[in-house]
Amino acid sequence: MGPGQRRDHRMPEAEAVGRLLAFQPGKDASRRIASLGLRLAQRVRATPPGPLSAESFLRHYGLSTREGVALMCVAEALLRIPDPQTADALLRDKLASGNWGSTKDEDSFVSSAADWALMLTGTLARWREAPQEDFPSSLKQLVARLGEPVARAAIRQAMRILAEQFVLAETIEEAVSRAGGRRPYRFSFDMLGEAARTAEDAARYFAAYSNAIRAAAPPDSLSVKLSALHPRFEELKRDRVFSELLPKLTDLTRIAAARGVGITLDAEESERLELTLDIFEALTGQFDAGLAVQAYQKRAAAVCDWLIALGRSRKRRIPMRLVKGAYWDGEIKRAQQLGMPDYPVFTRKAVTDISYVACATKLLAAPDAIYPAFATHNCRTVATILELSKESEFEFQKLLGMGDALYEALLAEHPDIAVRVYAPVGSFTDLLPYLVRRLLENGANTSFVHQIADPGVPLEDLVADPVEQLPEPYVPDPRIPLPRDIYPDRKNSLGLDLARRDVLDSLHQRIAAEKLSPAPPSITLDSAIGRAAQSFESWSHVPAAGRAAVLERAADLLEERMLDLVALIVREGGRTYADAVSEVREAADFCRYYASQTKTRFVVQLLPGPAGERNELQLHGRGVFACISPWNFPLSIFTGQVAAALAAGNTVIAKPAEQTPRIGFSAIDLLHQAGIPVDAVICVAGDGEAVGAPLVADPRIAGVAFTGSVETAKRIDLALAQRAGPIVPLIAETGGDNAMIVDSSALPEQVVDDVVISAFQSAGQRCSAQRILFVDAGCAPRVLQLLAGALAELKVGDPAEPDTDVGPIIDSLSRETLLSHIAKLRGSARLIGEAQLKIEGNYIAPVAFELALDQLPRTEVFGPILHVCLYRRSNLGEVLQWIRDTGYGLTLGIHSRIQSFVDEVVRAARVGNIYVNRSMIGAVVGVQPFGGEGLSGTGPKAGGPHYLPRFATERTLTVNTAAVGGVTELLTRT
């Protein structure tokens, strides 16, 4: 990939639109396109869909309805659930509130076996709560006679009926046979499956692709998903991908070339595009292959230019499939989570449409370099391609089960046009994620497929020129603010795009150049406290808005110095690239969030009272706060504690962990540069005995913020209690014996993705990290198989290398403690899997063991060690009680598709942060305020609305306004 494509990746949307408009048809051509599009749309709408067709399903159960969402959840989960109890629970949960079978149209989808099953199950799910007279007696008797097992079987069959509308066959041999009977359509076979998590997954997909190529014959082709062929298909693993994946692709293309079967590399998430293009370039140096390009990406036009240039340099036509894109919602969310400057995709569907036209124009103008395939179910898009194509050679493509009426109408008028069907092949369980993606793509309100089935949408609107739908002057969709602007009261912190090779290369060079300087000289603790105490009066009288402005400047400086700070965190703290970037972002978020809170909380609040009296409440700083932070978040927690204390009007003595003093001093230096007075925040280094203990014991300290072990927190609490003078607050955030509970409705691949992040990221050295996995015995075999394979894919190594997944343990003493624990587990528990260790030093390979409930540790094991316990739904109560009995309450994960299961666990939990169907780490400031209860901390939560007041004292002021002339507000009332 060249600089042009990188530059366009997150370009301002208005700039992108300006470029695309130059490639749109003129007004006369647009009128011809609209006329043809309308004629096609009329024929499509006049053609009734088959009772079991995908269009019929979407017509009745679009994603704008409760039923549509419920069905998507059922389709995604039901067929993989192994036990009948969980299957029944899922059906009751998702189908109880639907309006099934309400239509009176005899020819509608309700007449199909699938809808009858859904209606029956929805009625049955409501049965337990509804009075008997609410249902027709015949239906009541039927439900009573059949019961849940038969309804469960019916709904499973219904899901299979639905699945058959999207999958051609379960085997490639059967698919090839069926394709042969559906000419003149050509087929592109897609071997179903999501991204590989393990080497075993990748090998299975490779075998499936190889078998498919040998079974297929021209004019049919094969679609290949690169992430299915390699478990770590990501930019950070570029060298490994090239050495392991490229030879596999070469083998596949060699077999395909010998058989004359085309291969097209599927489009995936935008973060994989750069790596995909570079793999494609290397592959096509020897063999022919095609590529799919997503028009909703801002880089689409530039990628088309790149492919045209590549085809001309290779002196061959590159097959290229132009699609609109199927990951739009995920791309938006991901950009917001990562704090990107802009989105990689367009926020308005109309812009995706004009991008598609611009790309098509480029491709059709380069017949010497490109053989284009236009994947669409949109009548306007089909008409546009016919208008633009003239005599060019091309083909249309459609999804199996979608757009049948459109292409039947088209082929009736243009029998010589080539149409290829993208046809999934595989088992129904492999279909589920694909099915959900198709439902999201085609069932949304803005989808042409959804709207063509809605008689309330005028056909003229459906085939209108997308250029006419754009605002003038152009602005992105205001409902989707830029990632930096998603919060109403502050900026979102800016991140680094680690999926860009140039960003990674520059960061790697900066980290390689980082040399740790000698630790700063120690400052006499007594004099430091004295200086901070003297500075308190002046700093506490700075208005809240002034303190907030300084913290906002500090946040800007943190982002400006991202590369330097990341390099320091990697070198001194042993954090990986992504962890270090997240640290800097979180530190900036803390500064901005507490600045925002200060402006609203530290102002005079008028309180109601009797006439003739004014009552005010205001928060004030307490004095000198001691902030004692840990080594595992040497910048973010350190900065968060200090920023909160300063925002509340206190001065601060900040003690960084003895393992990471340079990071702490760098943060304080940055705060000084932002405008915090030198004596208002002072950094003192040293160990707990030499600095921490006398700091806490000093009577001039008006409060303590501490993050670390519960044992140290208790010692601080005792030391404060033994001091003479006022009782001062202790804000302590400690660790946890954090568990995740997985039921059999959960998606195993998603579970394992989140477990690997939760348990092993940062070498498990997070207070929020997962220590225990409770997994339902019904789904445990698949989950544990995936977990073992995923562990084998992790690289333990030097965090200065970009492909490192797990860095070092902080020091040798901690490593020895963890090794001792692992040695005991090897003698008493079953090994599930572990990563390889190929480096010497303070490293430990991530590892997972299976234990019985009574063998699980009741104390925090601070490292990359996961303890797995199998349970059954019937003894969930024992699991929940065990968690409560540990006394810890920091984080808890839940993976389930059943809301009633989630609700039951949440009700029983005494935990500060609960995460459902996601990882258990990475709490975001102001979004997921962080902190536990019980042995896990005192509260209030850091990064939450109740945190700052704990650093402050409250004062009320009451003034008798009637003393100087009566109750004036009464006297002046009219």
Side-chain angles (χ1 to χ4, degrees), residues 228-463:
L229 287 172
H230 197 282
R232 301 303 302 273
F233 183 65
E234 55 196 84
E235 184 60 51
L236 288 166
K237 302 291 182 180
R238 169 176 285 263
D239 292 343
R240 186 180 160 196
V241 166
F242 266 80
S243 65
E244 296 174 4
L245 175 59
L246 187 56
K248 290 183 179 180
L249 283 174
T250 301
D251 289 344
L252 292 177
T253 50
R254 183 183 295 112
I255 300 169
R259 293 190 54 79
V261 174
I263 280 185
T264 297
L265 305 188
D266 266 337
E268 302 190 55
E269 298 87 350
S270 66
E271 292 179 350
R272 304 185 199 261
L273 178 60
E274 185 167 347
L275 185 56
T276 297
L277 294 183
D278 291 345
I279 284 282
F280 182 78
E281 182 176 18
L283 180 67
T284 54
Q286 297 177 272
F287 299 99
D288 289 340
L291 185 69
V293 174
Q294 299 157 320
Y296 69 9
Q297 282 204 48
K298 294 175 180 176
R299 288 178 289 187
V303 170
C304 290
D305 291 338
W306 181 84
L307 284 169
I308 291 168
L310 182 66
R312 286 172 175 159
S313 69
R314 298 274 194 256
K315 293 182 170 55
R316 65 168 77 109
R317 299 182 74 191
I318 295 176
M320 209 210 87
R321 176 193 300 146
L322 185 63
V323 302
K324 293 189 178 176
Y327 302 91
W328 181 84
D329 54 333
E331 297 285 2
I332 295 294
K333 180 178 181 180
R334 183 74 170 156
Q336 293 176 350
Q337 289 175 324
L338 295 177
M340 293 293 99
D342 210 319
Y343 297 107
V345 295
F346 300 110
T347 61
R348 294 182 185 269
K349 182 183 179 300
V351 180
T352 295
D353 291 338
I354 70 168
S355 173
Y356 194 99
V357 173
C359 292
T361 301
K362 290 173 178 283
L363 300 175
L364 290 167
D368 58 319
I370 300 292
Y371 173 72
F374 301 104
T376 181
H377 307 126
N378 186 308
C379 295
R380 167 88 192 191
T381 304
V382 167
T384 302
I385 300 303
L386 293 176
E387 172 70 26
L388 296 175
S389 61
K390 308 304 180 189
E391 301 301 321
S392 299
E393 185 184 8
F394 70 95
E395 68 181 45
F396 284 113
Q397 293 192 3
K398 64 182 285 294
L399 294 170
L400 182 73
M402 308 294 295
D404 292 339
L406 168 61
Y407 284 101
E408 289 298 325
L410 180 65
L411 289 173
E413 292 188 18
H414 302 276
D416 295 332
I417 287 180
V419 179
R420 190 178 302 272
V421 178
Y422 185 89
V425 178
S427 71
F428 291 127
T429 52
D430 288 331
L431 171 70
L432 298 174
Y434 170 88
L435 175 60
V436 170
R437 196 160 63 243
R438 293 286 82 82
L439 293 178
L440 285 170
E441 182 182 5
N442 294 295
N445 290 341
T446 56
S447 162
F448 185 91
V449 171
H450 181 75
Q451 293 186 85
I452 191 69
D454 183 356
V457 177
L459 292 179
E460 291 78 7
D461 293 349
L462 274 182
V463 299

Side-chain angles (χ1 to χ4, degrees), residues 159-171:
M159 287 298 106
R160 288 181 177 273
I161 292 170
L162 174 61
E164 287 174 357
Q165 312 314 307
F166 292 90
V167 62
L168 182 61
E170 293 198 64
T171 68

Side-chain angles (χ1 to χ4, degrees), residues 10 335 338-343 482-484 494-495 497:
R10 301 183 190 276
L338 295 177
M340 293 293 99
D342 210 319
Y343 297 107
L482 288 175
R484 290 278 273 172
L494 187 64
D497 191 349

Side-chain angles (χ1 to χ4, degrees), residues 806-862:
V806 180
I809 303 302
I810 190 62
D811 54 38
S812 58
L813 179 60
S814 299
R815 177 176 177 269
E816 290 303 320
T817 301
L818 293 170
L819 287 175
S820 176
H821 182 71
I822 292 173
K824 292 179 181 177
L825 291 175
R826 290 191 189 279
S828 61
R830 184 181 78 85
L831 176 66
I832 293 170
E834 59 187 323
Q836 293 183 321
L837 189 61
K838 301 179 180 179
I839 188 172
E840 295 182 355
N842 288 330
Y843 296 92
I844 284 183
V847 63
F849 292 92
E850 182 185 336
L851 301 87
L853 183 65
D854 58 2
Q855 293 179 301
L856 294 173
R858 290 180 173 270
T859 57
E860 185 178 41
V861 180
F862 209 71

